[in-house]
Amino acid sequence: MKCEPITLGDKLTPPVSQKPRFKVGAWLRNAVYSLLNLALLTAIFAFPLWWLLMRPNMDRNLMLVLLTTLIATWLFVYRRRRATKATPARTHSLLANDCQGFMRDLRLDTKTVVFDGSNIYHFGHNNGLDAQPLGMIVHKLRTEGYRIICFFDANIYYTLCKHGAFRSDQQHSLAMLEDIFGLRRDEIYVVPSGVQADKYVLDCLKHLPISFAVTNDQFRDYAKKYPTVMKGNQWRKGVVISKGEIKLQQHRFQNPTRLN
């Protein structure tokens, strides 16, 4: 009987298949490939020695052709042998690149807010508020009972340093993001360099059924890849500043979030 997944790790981890039955045909095939592989490798190394010691007068071109044939045959057998081996299932990127190790334990029945952290930080910076909007929204939604996940692009440390959040000679650490944005260690996910956080945000929304994103990015480039996620107008909440308050579109805070 198949059990329903409880956590994100349950959902994204491939099921462990039962131990396969012993198959005589597969065993014989692997045994033949192994013996051929060993025999050909032995021949490849022994053949030049035999040529030099026992038949030094044999035509060199003929010897090279025979040696090349042996090597080509070994490569063919080696690749066929590898092709018969089962390829292990790859770990989903949300779990594989989670340096803090908290994503696996996220419950699917918990209401979750997925932040596009770099996007909201840039919104704050462009409005002269830097980290304040992101920190205030995180705190507000956390007090309303939401689980927080905040994705940052890999260059977030460089961006913060460029904007004067810390000195250039300071070593980058997760504690910096905790302090600057008021986040907890198990709420921060910095994606690997060379990729954007967008895909991670959308993947998270796809696999967490009770969730929405906080971002001003509409992710138009991903509409075809994530049609079920980007359906309607409830999957993302944009951030706006109006009359001295930080507001989320399509969401009303229990209490106003006023800027100091």
Side-chain angles (χ1 to χ4, degrees):
M1 182 177 178
K2 185 178 179 180
C3 297
E4 289 296 322
I6 297 175
T7 66
L8 187 63
D10 296 337
K11 187 174 183 180
L12 297 183
T13 302
V16 179
S17 58
Q18 295 181 349
K19 187 176 181 180
R21 296 179 180 178
F22 178 75
K23 296 181 179 180
V24 176
W27 181 85
L28 287 174
R29 183 171 60 251
N30 288 332
V32 169
Y33 280 136
S34 297
L35 289 173
L36 278 174
N37 185 66
L38 179 61
L40 288 167
L41 281 175
T42 302
I44 289 169
F45 285 104
F47 189 68
L49 293 175
W50 175 82
W51 174 31
L52 292 173
L53 298 176
M54 306 298 293
R55 294 289 188 273
N57 297 325
M58 187 175 288
D59 183 67
R60 179 176 297 179
N61 291 331
L62 176 61
M63 298 299 294
L64 290 175
V65 169
L66 291 174
L67 184 60
T68 302
T69 303
L70 282 173
I71 294 173
T73 305
W74 172 77
L75 284 173
F76 173 78
V77 171
Y78 176 75
R79 289 176 179 174
R80 291 285 296 179
R81 184 188 179 197
R82 285 181 61 88
T84 60
K85 294 183 178 180
T87 303
R90 294 178 59 185
T91 303
H92 194 283
S93 58
L94 280 174
L95 305 181
N97 298 313
D98 174 20
C99 296
Q100 315 317 317
F102 66 88
M103 295 291 290
R104 185 177 297 276
D105 297 325
L106 293 176
R107 290 185 61 92
L108 302 179
D109 58 359
T110 300
K111 59 180 186 178
T112 305
V113 181
V114 183
F115 280 83
D116 185 357
S118 295
N119 176 271
I120 301 303
Y121 169 70
H122 282 292
F123 168 80
H125 179 74
N126 292 338
N127 284 276
L129 298 169
D130 287 322
Q132 190 176 2
L134 177 56
M136 292 179 71
I137 297 170
V138 164
H139 175 72
K140 182 66 67 173
L141 291 173
R142 192 191 291 131
T143 59
E144 292 183 6
Y146 287 93
R147 178 70 165 85
I148 305 298
I149 306 171
C150 191
F151 289 97
F152 290 102
D153 293 322
N155 66 352
I156 184 61
Y157 293 106
Y158 169 79
T159 303
L160 289 169
C161 180
K162 181 181 176 181
H163 294 165
F166 51 83
R167 300 192 314 272
S168 59
D169 60 347
Q170 282 187 272
Q171 186 176 0
H172 300 165
S173 68
L174 206 66
M176 289 179 170
L177 302 183
E178 294 179 65
D179 182 59
I180 292 170
F181 296 107
L183 290 162
R184 298 169 182 167
R185 181 170 290 266
D186 62 353
E187 295 174 341
I188 301 172
Y189 194 126
V190 180
V191 306
S193 59
V195 296
Q196 291 184 313
D198 301 3
K199 179 182 179 299
Y200 284 78
V201 170
L202 292 168
D203 269 343
C204 209
L205 295 177
K206 178 181 178 180
H207 295 293
L208 292 177
I210 313 174
S211 63
F212 64 83
V214 172
T215 178
N216 285 336
D217 191 339
Q218 297 186 19
F219 301 130
R220 290 190 178 94
D221 294 340
Y222 296 89
K224 291 183 179 180
K225 188 174 181 180
Y226 297 92
T228 57
V229 172
M230 301 170 63
K231 187 177 181 180
N233 61 358
Q234 296 299 317
W235 66 275
R236 60 173 288 276
K237 320 291 183 184
V239 181
V240 296
I241 298 174
S242 176
K243 298 179 181 180
E245 290 184 25
I246 296 178
K247 298 181 179 181
L248 282 185
Q249 297 171 329
Q250 312 297 333
H251 180 87
R252 177 175 292 182
F253 291 124
Q254 294 175 0
N255 297 303
T257 307
R258 301 187 184 280
L259 294 167
N260 296 329

